Structure formats: structure tokens, C-alpha cells
Amino acid sequence: RRHTRLQGDWSADVCSSDLTLTAAAGTVSDTGDLSVGNVLSVSTVGAGGGVILNNVGNLFGSVDISSGAGDVTLVEADATIINQLSATNFDLTSSGSVSDSLNASISVAGLTNISAGGSISLGDDPGDTVALSTVQLSGTDVFLNEDSGDGITISDLIATSLELIADGDIASAGGVNLNVTNQAKLDAGSNNIDLSGSVNAFGSVDL
């Protein structure tokens, strides 16, 4: 099995089983398609260092990404599996489903924007840790269990079905559209649910 480790600013075409990239400064980006059969691990340790892997032909087995104080942009031509993620803002376009691995850790301080060709499922295992602030989601069946305790804000949403569990308030951003063809199930425990600021179209609602 091929394992590649690179350090410094990086931009290249790569085909590998496992790939580990560490950038001491600057942004990690791609100029060609990446094909990583197993784990893609990217870490930017410099202030403001981001990760931009947005070629439409990218294929990853699963991803571990830590951007320090930077933003992360990913594009994948297949399903996407997240093991670990730490970012200021996160933008993911996946041609397939989006899910996390067992005991995943996902933390995004700002906006999480996910567009999936299939389902989205994050936080479905008791060992997962998912801390998101604001989400903008597009997929078929969407499941999200956000357990930071700080609540979550929904921006634009397009889904066939939705199940959202939050350890805090659930709110919608002002002037956005929330469209769920079938059932929208929202569970904030003893906390508040306020979707009054958005234009909502749900097949049915379970609160």
C-alpha cells in the first residue's frame, strides 16, 4: 500500500492509497484530480491556512482535515466519508452521499454548506461528535445530530426528508427557504424551535 507524506505548500496531481499532507503555511490546493483510495489526511497549521480541493474528478476513500483557522472546500465525484474535520467554514459538493465514519469528530465554527447527490447523514453514531453553527444543506434524505449544546441555525435547505436533532435551540436564518418534500422531524429536546424567519415548505412536520 502506497503512503505519501508531503510538507509545505502543495498543489499537484496525486494517485495514492493513503495521502497525508501537512502545510506549515499557506493554502493546500489541487491543480488536477486527486485519487486517494483510503484516507486523505490534510493539516494546515499556519494562521489562516485553508484547504481547497475542488477539482470535479476528485475521489477520496475518506477524509481527515484540519484547517486551523482556515476554510475548507471539497469536491468529490463519488460518495464522501468524513472521519475528522476542523474548519472555520466548510463547503462540500459530493456527487454521492455524505456520511461520517464511526466515532467521527466534526467541528465547523461558521457556515457548513453541503450539496450531495444522495443522502446526508452526520452524527448517527453515539460516539460521533458534531459541532456545527449554521448549515446550508441539499440532499435526498438528511439526518443531522448536532451535539455541541450551542444550538444550530438552518440556512437554505432542500431535502426529500429531514431529521434534525440538536442539543440546543433550532432556528432558521431570516429570508431563507426550507423545502422538505416528505417529513421534517425536528428534535431540540427542551430547547426552542423557531423557523419563523424562513419560507417553509414541508410535506409534514414532527416536532
Side-chain angles (χ1 to χ4, degrees):
R1 185 174 71 173
R2 181 181 173 192
H3 182 91
T4 304
R5 181 177 180 86
L6 304 176
Q7 290 185 323
D9 291 331
W10 175 83
S11 182
D13 294 337
V14 171
C15 180
S16 180
S17 292
D18 292 278
L19 179 63
T20 300
L21 306 171
T22 302
T27 296
V28 173
S29 62
D30 55 357
T31 58
D33 295 339
L34 304 181
S35 179
V36 180
N38 292 317
V39 180
L40 169 68
S41 179
V42 182
S43 176
T44 58
V45 297
V51 178
I52 304 173
L53 304 178
N54 59 359
N55 272 35
V56 295
N58 289 340
L59 293 169
F60 314 124
S62 61
V63 295
D64 290 0
I65 297 181
S66 176
S67 70
D71 298 337
V72 173
T73 299
L74 295 181
V75 174
E76 183 165 10
D78 203 349
T80 302
I81 301 173
I82 303 171
N83 302 322
Q84 310 287 330
L85 173 68
S86 176
T88 300
N89 296 291
F90 178 51
D91 190 292
L92 169 63
T93 302
S94 176
S95 295
S97 61
V98 174
S99 61
D100 55 9
S101 60
L102 191 67
N103 298 321
S105 176
I106 300 171
S107 178
V108 181
L111 175 64
T112 298
N113 181 15
I114 298 177
S115 177
S119 61
I120 299 172
S121 180
L122 301 176
D124 58 330
D125 183 81
D128 297 339
T129 301
V130 179
L132 305 177
S133 176
T134 302
V135 294
Q136 181 171 313
L137 305 173
S138 176
T140 54
D141 297 319
V142 175
F143 175 87
L144 175 59
N145 187 352
E146 203 282 338
D147 54 9
S148 68
D150 295 326
I152 191 166
T153 299
I154 312 171
S155 188
D156 288 315
L157 171 72
I158 300 175
T160 304
S161 65
L162 171 68
E163 183 172 358
L164 173 59
I165 303 168
D167 187 16
D169 293 345
I170 296 174
S172 59
V176 303
N177 296 300
L178 309 186
N179 294 294
V180 181
T181 305
N182 296 321
Q183 185 182 69
K185 183 176 182 179
L186 307 176
D187 182 359
S190 60
N191 300 292
N192 299 318
I193 298 175
D194 183 358
L195 306 183
S196 61
S198 53
V199 178
N200 307 311
F202 303 138
S204 63
V205 179
D206 184 352
L207 301 176

